[in-house]
């Protein structure tokens, strides 16, 4: 099945979920709501569907994809768990945590989706739409964020349509994403290692493990997470980070109490709540972009809790390109 020119955006009711599962079975591409960001799903075992998925996103390279499954039992059919990954899965699945684990030889995930690696990234999403789709499909669904390569991740069905209309078969609309940044990625291929800060705060993971997470050394280990390109989460506007005050002609992305400013302003969280800020991050960047801002001044965001993921995405969005 090729992507129809008319991409259907459907409210994710029972009939739409059944249609989406059938579409995946036939090799189609279905974007769906998760609690982090919208994913663009394909049947994990169908190499051709995976190839069309890369084409729809316009990915510069075949980055490895996250396989989404409905529960830990399904995950264990795809990969080997050790004591640390057992603990993390028990504590945080379903939820915004992705575990990179040694893959089973016969797991059935298409090699193309794994970019030839011996490991596989697994996530059990918590969103009821994602859960219902996985249950109806009855297998693993690989899904990167449902945006064109290099754009910010979509946190609403409208964002997905803006990027991928006409390139995919269907969007399952499940409302706005509650978390708003991608999952935290931890590799358990030895000492548990943080590959990407995300929607689950590092402190929570460390509390469960009872020890600090290793952090990947960017130069040496990031090649195993090639999605971590320096300028991966880029709006069209330039970003000026840690701005104390906006300048004439800039738009302002505020956090906490907004300074007085006559230009276009959006606030990630007027009350300085990092969870609310994460949920608003990508939609506010898109909205300021759409308003035609040339430069967005971004106020300082603290580095604790979800601040680590927010500052990571902001630094990528600000990287020269
Ligand atoms: O919240 C999320 O994680 C969303 C939703 C849809 O689940 N998905 C998402 O996928 O952000 P994507 O493709 O945009 O980012 C997945 C990241 C990439 O940086 C990729 O390189 C990394 O996961 N990754 C996948 N498999 C890997 C592996 N075996 N080893 C290391 N990194 C891997
Ligand atoms: Mg992405």
């Amino acid at each position: 099945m090729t992507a129809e020119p008319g991409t259907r955006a459907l409210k994710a009711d029972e009939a739409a979920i059944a249609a989406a599962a059938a579409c995946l079975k036939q090799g189609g591409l279905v974007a769906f709501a998760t609690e982090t960001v919208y994913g663009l799903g394909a049947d994990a075992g169908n190499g051709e569907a995976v190839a069309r998925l890369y084409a729809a996103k316009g990915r510069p390279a075949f980055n490895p994809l996250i396989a989404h499954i409905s529960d830990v039992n399904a995950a264990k059919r795809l990969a080997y768990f050790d004591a640390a990954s057992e603990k993390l899965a028990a504590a945080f699945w379903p939820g915004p945590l992705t575990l990179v684990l040694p893959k089973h030889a016969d797991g059935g995930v298409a090699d193309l989706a794994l970019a030839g690696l011996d490991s596989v990234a697994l996530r059990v999403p918590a969103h009821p739409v994602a859960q219902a789709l996985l249950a109806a499909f009855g297998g693993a669904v690989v899904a990167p964020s449902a945006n064109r390569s290099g754009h910010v991740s979509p946190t609403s069905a409208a964002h997905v349509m803006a990027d991928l209309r006409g390139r995919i078969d269907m969007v399952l609309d499940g409302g706005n994403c509650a978390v708003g940044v991608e999952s935290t990625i931890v590799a358990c291929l030895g000492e548990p290692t943080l590959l990407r800060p995300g929607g689950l705060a590092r402190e929570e993971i460390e509390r469960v493990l009872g020890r600090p997470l290793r952090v990947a050394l960017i130069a040496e280990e990031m090649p195993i997470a090639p999605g971590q390109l320096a300028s991966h989460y880029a709006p069209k506007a330039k970003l000026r980070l840690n701005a104390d005050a906006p300048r004439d002609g800039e738009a302002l992305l505020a956090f906490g109490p907004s300074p007085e400013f006559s230009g276009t302003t959006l606030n990630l969280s007027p009350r300085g709540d990092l969870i609310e800020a994460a949920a608003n991050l990508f939609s506010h960047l898109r909205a300021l972009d759409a308003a035609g801002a040339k430069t967005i001044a971004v106020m300082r965001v603290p580095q604790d809790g979800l601040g680590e993921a927010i500052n990571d995405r902001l630094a990528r969005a600000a990287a020269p390109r």
Side-chain angles (χ1 to χ4, degrees):
M1 179 191 280
T2 51
E4 297 159 22
T7 300
R8 286 184 293 163
L10 301 176
K11 189 175 155 289
D13 58 17
E14 224 173 291
I17 299 271
C23 180
L24 288 174
K25 289 262 184 240
Q26 294 167 54
L29 302 179
V30 175
F32 61 98
T34 86
E35 72 278 22
T36 56
V37 300
Y38 274 70
L40 176 57
D43 177 352
N46 182 335
E48 279 178 38
V50 174
R52 279 197 293 274
L53 189 158
Y54 287 119
K57 276 191 64 101
R59 282 220 165 176
F62 295 153
N63 296 337
L65 303 176
I66 297 171
H68 297 70
I69 59 274
S70 52
D71 58 27
V72 70
N73 293 327
K76 286 182 175 171
R77 290 195 280 274
L78 300 180
Y80 296 97
F81 282 69
D82 62 6
S85 46
E86 287 274 6
K87 263 193 196 171
L88 294 177
F92 299 116
W93 278 356
L97 172 69
T98 294
L99 294 173
V100 172
L101 304 174
K103 69 163 193 175
H104 283 178
D106 54 355
V109 177
D111 282 334
L112 180 56
L114 302 180
L117 298 170
D118 294 328
S119 57
V120 58
L122 297 175
R123 181 160 105 80
V124 177
H127 196 292
V129 168
Q131 279 283 340
L133 180 63
L134 291 170
F137 178 67
V141 172
V142 287
S145 51
N147 51 280
R148 292 291 288 271
S149 187
H151 291 194
V152 297
S153 294
T155 55
S156 72
H159 294 165
V160 177
M161 287 300 263
D163 262 25
L164 296 174
R165 185 195 296 273
R167 303 175 70 88
I168 64 176
D169 297 293
M170 201 184 288
V171 183
L172 279 180
D173 187 347
N176 294 334
C177 301
V179 176
V181 291
E182 301 86 346
S183 60
T184 301
I185 305 181
V186 173
C188 294
L189 304 168
E191 190 60 22
T193 300
L194 180 67
L195 295 185
R196 177 176 76 180
L200 177 65
R202 171 220 294 260
E203 294 90 327
E204 290 196 50
I205 297 169
E206 294 180 336
R207 203 173 307 129
V208 166
L209 287 177
R211 60 181 193 276
L213 271 177
R214 233 181 118 250
V215 176
L217 305 166
I218 301 275
E220 286 161 36
E221 289 178 77
M222 275 310 162
I224 68 167
Q228 299 292 79
L229 295 174
S231 73
H232 193 63
Y233 297 90
K236 292 180 209 83
K238 280 208 188 96
L239 263 62
R240 188 166 68 81
L241 301 183
N242 301 320
D244 291 318
R247 299 173 185 154
D248 277 350
E250 290 182 334
L252 174 64
L253 185 61
F255 177 83
S258 299
E260 246 176 75
F261 182 53
S262 59
T264 309
T265 302
L266 286 175
N267 200 317
L268 291 170
S269 173
R271 61 195 159 97
D273 179 330
L274 289 165
I275 293 173
E276 181 182 33
N280 286 328
L281 179 65
F282 292 134
S283 58
H284 281 12
L285 284 174
R286 277 179 189 261
L288 291 175
D289 239 4
K294 292 269 184 301
T295 303
I296 302 170
V298 183
M299 286 172 66
R300 198 174 303 277
V301 174
Q303 181 67 7
D304 54 306
L306 292 197
E308 185 177 13
I310 295 170
N311 284 318
D312 173 82
R313 304 305 186 272
L314 285 170
R316 287 171 203 288
R321 51 183 183 274

